[in-house]
Amino acid sequence: MATSSKVKKSVRIASGRKRVRQDVRLNAANTALRSKFRTAVKGVLKAVSTGDKAKATDNFKTAQKVIDSIADKGLFHKNKAARHKSRLAAKVKALAAQA
């Protein structure tokens, strides 16, 4: 995915060309992390919707780690990460209270 075909022809300075190359790589890494985050959240929500308390709890633990790592890397603001964790925790807790 990190190819040099996305290099803009208008960039003439070497540092600018390097910046474009770095941006392609960083964009690919950030996209992968964002996808990992969405997959983790969907796993929790799917387990909650099916009513599987054990699986929801297990998926929530892994989702917490993913969300924290993304916040540490600066992809998400720490408050956004906290909000997502809080809402997921509330859903898992409501599921546990239901049973």
Side-chain angles (χ1 to χ4, degrees), residues 29-47:
N30 287 344
T31 303
L33 284 172
R34 215 174 288 115
S35 175
K36 188 176 182 181
F37 161 77
R38 289 185 186 127
T39 303
V41 170
K42 284 179 189 175
V44 176
L45 294 177
K46 190 173 183 180

Side-chain angles (χ1 to χ4, degrees), residues 19-64:
R19 188 73 240 174
V20 170
R21 286 195 309 269
Q22 288 175 336
D23 287 344
V24 170
R25 266 185 255 123
L26 287 170
N27 187 17
N30 287 344
T31 303
L33 284 172
R34 215 174 288 115
S35 175
K36 188 176 182 181
F37 161 77
R38 289 185 186 127
T39 303
V41 170
K42 284 179 189 175
V44 176
L45 294 177
K46 190 173 183 180
V48 168
S49 67
T50 58
D52 190 355
K53 177 183 165 189
K55 190 172 181 179
T57 306
D58 204 31
N59 286 351
F60 178 64
K61 285 181 184 177
T62 58
Q64 271 184 316

Side-chain angles (χ1 to χ4, degrees), residues 59-90:
N59 286 351
F60 178 64
K61 285 181 184 177
T62 58
Q64 271 184 316
K65 292 175 187 174
V66 170
I67 293 169
D68 283 336
S69 72
I70 286 176
D72 289 341
K73 290 175 181 154
L75 192 61
F76 287 169
H77 192 273
K78 62 179 182 171
N79 291 355
K80 179 175 180 172
R83 182 177 68 242
H84 278 284
K85 287 193 306 184
S86 176
R87 289 180 182 171
L88 287 175

